[in-house]
PDB file of all heavy atoms in Angstrom:
ATOM      1  N   LYS A   8      -5.492  15.623   8.891  1.00  0.00           N
ATOM      2  CA  LYS A   8      -6.177  15.588  10.190  1.00  0.00           C
ATOM      3  C   LYS A   8      -7.556  16.227  10.074  1.00  0.00           C
ATOM      4  O   LYS A   8      -7.713  17.282   9.444  1.00  0.00           O
ATOM      5  CB  LYS A   8      -5.350  16.319  11.248  1.00  0.00           C
ATOM      6  CG  LYS A   8      -5.817  16.065  12.669  1.00  0.00           C
ATOM      7  CD  LYS A   8      -4.828  16.632  13.687  1.00  0.00           C
ATOM      8  CE  LYS A   8      -5.259  16.314  15.109  1.00  0.00           C
ATOM      9  NZ  LYS A   8      -4.312  16.905  16.099  1.00  0.00           N
ATOM     10  N   ASP A  87      -8.775   0.464 -20.476  1.00  0.00           N
ATOM     11  CA  ASP A  87      -9.288   1.402 -21.474  1.00  0.00           C
ATOM     12  C   ASP A  87     -10.125   0.616 -22.483  1.00  0.00           C
ATOM     13  O   ASP A  87      -9.827   0.587 -23.674  1.00  0.00           O
ATOM     14  CB  ASP A  87      -8.114   2.130 -22.154  1.00  0.00           C
ATOM     15  CG  ASP A  87      -8.574   3.411 -22.830  1.00  0.00           C
ATOM     16  OD1 ASP A  87      -9.724   3.847 -22.579  1.00  0.00           O
ATOM     17  OD2 ASP A  87      -7.792   3.977 -23.610  1.00  0.00           O
ATOM     18  N   VAL A 142     -22.161  -1.580   6.491  1.00  0.00           N
ATOM     19  CA  VAL A 142     -22.038  -1.113   5.109  1.00  0.00           C
ATOM     20  C   VAL A 142     -23.200  -0.180   4.783  1.00  0.00           C
ATOM     21  O   VAL A 142     -24.341  -0.399   5.216  1.00  0.00           O
ATOM     22  CB  VAL A 142     -21.955  -2.313   4.126  1.00  0.00           C
ATOM     23  CG1 VAL A 142     -23.239  -3.133   4.139  1.00  0.00           C
ATOM     24  CG2 VAL A 142     -21.584  -1.862   2.723  1.00  0.00           C
ATOM     25  N   TYR A 163     -21.776  -8.423   7.990  1.00  0.00           N
ATOM     26  CA  TYR A 163     -21.992  -7.030   8.412  1.00  0.00           C
ATOM     27  C   TYR A 163     -22.961  -6.992   9.592  1.00  0.00           C
ATOM     28  O   TYR A 163     -23.949  -7.731   9.610  1.00  0.00           O
ATOM     29  CB  TYR A 163     -22.550  -6.209   7.247  1.00  0.00           C
ATOM     30  CG  TYR A 163     -21.644  -6.205   6.024  1.00  0.00           C
ATOM     31  CD1 TYR A 163     -21.869  -7.080   4.967  1.00  0.00           C
ATOM     32  CD2 TYR A 163     -20.561  -5.345   5.950  1.00  0.00           C
ATOM     33  CE1 TYR A 163     -21.032  -7.099   3.856  1.00  0.00           C
ATOM     34  CE2 TYR A 163     -19.718  -5.347   4.846  1.00  0.00           C
ATOM     35  CZ  TYR A 163     -19.965  -6.229   3.796  1.00  0.00           C
ATOM     36  OH  TYR A 163     -19.124  -6.232   2.707  1.00  0.00           O
ATOM     37  N   SER A 167     -27.307   0.178   5.736  1.00  0.00           N
ATOM     38  CA  SER A 167     -28.233   1.286   5.482  1.00  0.00           C
ATOM     39  C   SER A 167     -27.957   1.816   4.082  1.00  0.00           C
ATOM     40  O   SER A 167     -26.965   1.430   3.444  1.00  0.00           O
ATOM     41  CB  SER A 167     -28.072   2.399   6.524  1.00  0.00           C
ATOM     42  OG  SER A 167     -26.927   3.188   6.269  1.00  0.00           O
ATOM     43  N   GLY A 181     -29.819   0.086 -14.119  1.00  0.00           N
ATOM     44  CA  GLY A 181     -29.468  -1.306 -13.846  1.00  0.00           C
ATOM     45  C   GLY A 181     -29.461  -2.149 -15.105  1.00  0.00           C
ATOM     46  O   GLY A 181     -28.555  -2.980 -15.311  1.00  0.00           O
ATOM     47  N   THR A 195     -29.391 -14.369 -14.826  1.00  0.00           N
ATOM     48  CA  THR A 195     -28.127 -14.191 -14.086  1.00  0.00           C
ATOM     49  C   THR A 195     -28.085 -12.865 -13.331  1.00  0.00           C
ATOM     50  O   THR A 195     -27.190 -12.636 -12.530  1.00  0.00           O
ATOM     51  CB  THR A 195     -26.911 -14.233 -15.038  1.00  0.00           C
ATOM     52  OG1 THR A 195     -26.951 -13.064 -15.891  1.00  0.00           O
ATOM     53  CG2 THR A 195     -26.942 -15.494 -15.910  1.00  0.00           C
ATOM     54  N   GLU A 198     -29.238 -12.356  -8.805  1.00  0.00           N
ATOM     55  CA  GLU A 198     -28.428 -12.437  -7.587  1.00  0.00           C
ATOM     56  C   GLU A 198     -27.774 -11.104  -7.221  1.00  0.00           C
ATOM     57  O   GLU A 198     -27.121 -10.989  -6.185  1.00  0.00           O
ATOM     58  CB  GLU A 198     -27.360 -13.529  -7.706  1.00  0.00           C
ATOM     59  CG  GLU A 198     -26.331 -13.255  -8.784  1.00  0.00           C
ATOM     60  CD  GLU A 198     -25.069 -14.123  -8.643  1.00  0.00           C
ATOM     61  OE1 GLU A 198     -24.558 -14.240  -7.515  1.00  0.00           O
ATOM     62  OE2 GLU A 198     -24.631 -14.669  -9.667  1.00  0.00           O
ATOM     63  N   SER A 211     -32.364 -19.109  -0.997  1.00  0.00           N
ATOM     64  CA  SER A 211     -30.928 -19.145  -1.276  1.00  0.00           C
ATOM     65  C   SER A 211     -30.092 -19.448  -0.040  1.00  0.00           C
ATOM     66  O   SER A 211     -29.026 -20.038  -0.148  1.00  0.00           O
ATOM     67  CB  SER A 211     -30.488 -17.821  -1.908  1.00  0.00           C
ATOM     68  OG  SER A 211     -30.820 -16.739  -1.078  1.00  0.00           O
ATOM     69  N   GLU A 217     -30.449 -15.049   8.221  1.00  0.00           N
ATOM     70  CA  GLU A 217     -30.525 -13.817   9.002  1.00  0.00           C
ATOM     71  C   GLU A 217     -31.359 -12.781   8.241  1.00  0.00           C
ATOM     72  O   GLU A 217     -31.216 -12.647   7.033  1.00  0.00           O
ATOM     73  CB  GLU A 217     -29.100 -13.298   9.187  1.00  0.00           C
ATOM     74  CG  GLU A 217     -28.980 -11.964   9.880  1.00  0.00           C
ATOM     75  CD  GLU A 217     -27.594 -11.351   9.663  1.00  0.00           C
ATOM     76  OE1 GLU A 217     -27.061 -11.451   8.535  1.00  0.00           O
ATOM     77  OE2 GLU A 217     -27.073 -10.769  10.604  1.00  0.00           O
ATOM     78  N   ASP A 224     -32.985   5.938   3.740  1.00  0.00           N
ATOM     79  CA  ASP A 224     -33.559   7.271   3.565  1.00  0.00           C
ATOM     80  C   ASP A 224     -33.690   7.563   2.078  1.00  0.00           C
ATOM     81  O   ASP A 224     -32.758   7.289   1.298  1.00  0.00           O
ATOM     82  CB  ASP A 224     -32.666   8.338   4.219  1.00  0.00           C
ATOM     83  CG  ASP A 224     -33.013   8.549   5.682  1.00  0.00           C
ATOM     84  OD1 ASP A 224     -34.217   8.685   5.975  1.00  0.00           O
ATOM     85  OD2 ASP A 224     -32.097   8.587   6.518  1.00  0.00           O
ATOM     86  N   ALA A 228     -37.959  14.605  -3.302  1.00  0.00           N
ATOM     87  CA  ALA A 228     -37.731  15.494  -4.450  1.00  0.00           C
ATOM     88  C   ALA A 228     -36.548  15.008  -5.292  1.00  0.00           C
ATOM     89  O   ALA A 228     -35.950  15.777  -6.051  1.00  0.00           O
ATOM     90  CB  ALA A 228     -37.488  16.927  -3.970  1.00  0.00           C
ATOM     91  N   PHE A 231     -34.444  11.114  -9.558  1.00  0.00           N
ATOM     92  CA  PHE A 231     -34.326   9.738 -10.062  1.00  0.00           C
ATOM     93  C   PHE A 231     -35.317   8.781  -9.395  1.00  0.00           C
ATOM     94  O   PHE A 231     -35.291   7.584  -9.666  1.00  0.00           O
ATOM     95  CB  PHE A 231     -32.900   9.238  -9.855  1.00  0.00           C
ATOM     96  CG  PHE A 231     -31.858  10.110 -10.503  1.00  0.00           C
ATOM     97  CD1 PHE A 231     -31.001  10.883  -9.742  1.00  0.00           C
ATOM     98  CD2 PHE A 231     -31.760  10.168 -11.887  1.00  0.00           C
ATOM     99  CE1 PHE A 231     -30.047  11.691 -10.341  1.00  0.00           C
ATOM    100  CE2 PHE A 231     -30.810  10.979 -12.494  1.00  0.00           C
ATOM    101  CZ  PHE A 231     -29.949  11.752 -11.723  1.00  0.00           C
ATOM    102  N   SER A 268     -25.768  14.538   3.837  1.00  0.00           N
ATOM    103  CA  SER A 268     -25.213  15.186   5.035  1.00  0.00           C
ATOM    104  C   SER A 268     -26.298  15.491   6.065  1.00  0.00           C
ATOM    105  O   SER A 268     -26.019  15.567   7.257  1.00  0.00           O
ATOM    106  CB  SER A 268     -24.464  16.467   4.643  1.00  0.00           C
ATOM    107  OG  SER A 268     -25.362  17.458   4.206  1.00  0.00           O
ATOM    108  N   SER A 269     -27.536  15.659   5.593  1.00  0.00           N
ATOM    109  CA  SER A 269     -28.631  15.977   6.516  1.00  0.00           C
ATOM    110  C   SER A 269     -28.984  14.813   7.429  1.00  0.00           C
ATOM    111  O   SER A 269     -29.511  15.020   8.526  1.00  0.00           O
ATOM    112  CB  SER A 269     -29.883  16.398   5.728  1.00  0.00           C
ATOM    113  OG  SER A 269     -29.613  17.537   4.934  1.00  0.00           O
TER     114      SER A 269
END
Side-chain angles (χ1 to χ4, degrees):
Chain A
K8 193 171 183 182
D87 199 12
V142 64
Y163 302 97
S167 77
T195 68
E198 64 164 314
S211 57
E217 175 196 40
D224 272 313
F231 303 110
S268 70
S269 300

